[in-house]
Amino acid sequence: QVQLVESGGGLVQFGGSLRLSCASSGFTLDHFAIGWFRQAPGKEREEVSCVSSSDGMTSFVDSVKGRFTVSRDNATNTVYLQMNSLKPEDTAVYYCAGAYSCSGAILLRPVIWGQGTQVTVSS
């Protein structure tokens, strides 16, 4: 089955850290750009980062710059979102998605989505 699977979410205190994983199943990630998105209750989905397939270049939205990083391990078909200095406003369901390219922090025309993982930051 071709899919993306996120994991690593949970409950963390203000200022804490979490690392989310986005793993592919049924296909390899090395030719895909991967975007991380989040959606908080009652809010629209927001993209927070994109990592390109070609050179691994990453881009982030201003609200997470300096706190979030992305890395990819093509050998294990996994992309990681490291989230540090977490704030209550980071609370959301986090999704990864795949496409052919990024434009800055924007994943262009996603073709596959994961099911999401909940991140809750307590104050």
Side-chain angles (χ1 to χ4, degrees), residues 49-101:
S49 74
C50 197
V51 56
S52 69
S53 60
S54 56
D55 55 10
M57 182 176 293
T58 57
S59 297
F60 300 89
V61 296
D62 288 346
S63 59
V64 306
K65 277 181 181 177
R67 300 189 298 122
F68 290 12
T69 59
V70 171
S71 60
R72 61 188 304 156
D73 183 347
N74 288 338
T76 61
N77 293 305
T78 305
V79 173
Y80 301 98
L81 178 67
Q82 178 68 44
M83 306 185 296
N84 300 324
S85 302
L86 283 163
K87 306 174 182 179
E89 51 263 44
D90 295 318
T91 295
V93 178
Y94 282 72
Y95 302 87
C96 64
Y100 293 111
S101 62

